[in-house]
Amino acid sequence: MELELKHPLAFVPTMGALHAGHQSLITIAKSYAPNVLVSVFVNPLQFENPDDLAQYPRDLDGDAVKAESAGATFVWSPTIEEIYPAQPSIINAGELGNLFEGVHRFGHFDGVLTVVKRLFDLINPQFAVFGEKDFQQFFLIKKMVKELALPIEIIQAPIVREADGLAMSSRNIRLTSDSRTISLVLSRALESAAQEIDINKARKVLHEVLRAEPGFTIDYAEIIDENDFTLATEATLSPRAIIAGWINDLRLIDNMQMNCGGTR
Ligand code: PAF
């Protein structure tokens, strides 16, 4: 598919299977630039598990309709040869790439940064929009852009939730009806922890709510400083709780700003 570039350009990179969360990124992108390019590319480099890559939902025709109805001016679905014509030089996500998500998804963030940098090089957008749902990803992309002094403004888009609180994700279509009920434990735990103004209490509540749901297996549940990803203390001005875990063979993540720490 020929790449059509008109500037000023806001870019929304995706792996497809678009939902209302992606559409909100497109709407936000449109408020920054008249031209909005949405890419749909399932990046093999960021999948540490071949089954997860094989099962990743794909619906290019549906994606084009959803992207255009949200305001995209161009939907681009590059081939693997276009993105990686030669062996790519991998961008190392550094120490943080091996923490939290990185512990459980070895090499994942190296793959994400490598493809995002490659997409930026091909497109040269003035703006790029990323969802807060993948908060560690957002943080690492912002850090890369700063360190490489790329002339791109990175826009942070809030999480879009279902009416009952579940954060939207392309993987949600794999939830059975029982797992769908269990999945609400993530937002429930975050909402409960966000009620607490004492950080130790917030951490305790986060874990208590998650542990009370036997169908959910925790990978991690922490409160970090969203400015540097260190563990939050009572002095932290911008604490954010981050959660990941399993419901049967499906891994879900979520996060939320907290009200504990130095914010009060
Ligand atoms: O968040 C995603 O969908 C992907 O990680 C991204 C940023 C499109 C890179 O493949």
Side-chain angles (χ1 to χ4, degrees):
M1 195 189 295
E2 197 66 26
L3 180 56
E4 191 181 294
L5 295 175
K6 285 196 189 129
H7 294 268
L9 180 66
F11 176 41
V12 181
T14 80
M15 295 205 300
L18 301 192
H19 49 68
H22 294 108
Q23 288 184 302
S24 79
L25 305 186
I26 298 168
T27 308
I28 292 170
K30 194 80 184 172
S31 70
Y32 281 83
N35 307 296
V36 174
L37 186 146
V38 175
S39 65
V40 176
F41 179 68
V42 182
N43 173 34
L45 283 190
Q46 69 188 76
F47 286 82
E48 66 295 344
N49 174 348
D51 290 343
D52 194 24
L53 173 61
Q55 286 175 41
Y56 201 82
R58 288 163 172 86
D59 172 21
L60 192 52
D61 292 342
D63 288 344
V65 172
K66 286 179 197 153
E68 275 155 25
S69 78
T73 43
F74 194 67
V75 180
W76 179 50
S77 165
T79 61
I80 185 114
E81 291 77 21
E82 283 175 282
I83 299 297
Y84 303 124
Q87 189 72 14
S89 22
I90 303 297
I91 297 185
N92 188 322
E95 232 173 88
L96 179 56
N98 297 325
L99 297 176
F100 302 113
E101 281 301 284
V103 171
H104 302 273
R105 307 194 61 188
F106 187 72
H108 168 71
F109 288 118
D110 295 352
V112 169
L113 295 188
T114 303
V115 78
V116 168
K117 173 68 170 55
R118 176 78 186 129
L119 290 163
F120 283 172
D121 288 347
L122 289 167
I123 292 163
N124 289 311
Q126 284 70 41
F127 306 94
V129 186
F130 293 88
E132 256 178 23
K133 162 92 183 346
D134 296 292
F135 194 74
Q136 195 174 352
Q137 163 175 289
F138 171 79
F139 182 91
L140 285 167
I141 291 169
K142 230 182 143 170
K143 184 164 172 279
M144 173 182 78
V145 166
K146 189 164 177 223
E147 285 170 359
L148 299 176
L150 304 178
I152 304 171
E153 189 178 331
I154 301 298
I155 318 288
Q156 175 170 352
I159 295 178
V160 178
R161 296 181 182 278
E162 304 285 358
D164 60 8
L166 178 66
M168 289 195 186
S169 161
S170 304
R171 289 190 165 86
N172 290 353
I173 54 171
R174 287 174 53 202
L175 288 166
T176 60
S177 89
D178 284 355
S179 318
R180 177 72 183 72
T181 307
I182 295 171
S183 71
L184 295 180
V185 72
L186 285 95
S187 52
R188 199 161 63 237
L190 292 166
E191 295 284 2
S192 306
Q195 308 290 317
E196 302 298 335
I197 53 168
D198 175 84
I199 183 134
N200 296 318
K201 192 86 195 292
R203 278 201 171 96
K204 192 163 173 273
V205 166
L206 189 67
H207 279 265
E208 272 172 6
V209 176
L210 293 174
R211 291 217 177 96
E213 172 49 78
F216 184 72
T217 309
I218 305 174
D219 264 355
Y220 61 79
E222 240 326 328
I223 302 180
I224 50 128
D225 181 337
E226 67 174 26
N227 293 316
D228 58 12
F229 256 86
T230 56
L231 295 189
T233 68
E234 63 279 3
T236 300
L237 295 177
S238 308
R240 183 176 288 263
I242 53 174
I243 297 177
W246 295 85
I247 301 171
N248 301 318
D249 63 344
L250 193 67
R251 190 164 183 280
L252 295 180
I253 63 174
D254 200 352
N255 68 80
M256 192 177 281
Q257 273 184 322
M258 294 287 110
N259 294 304
C260 52
T263 44
R264 286 172 188 251

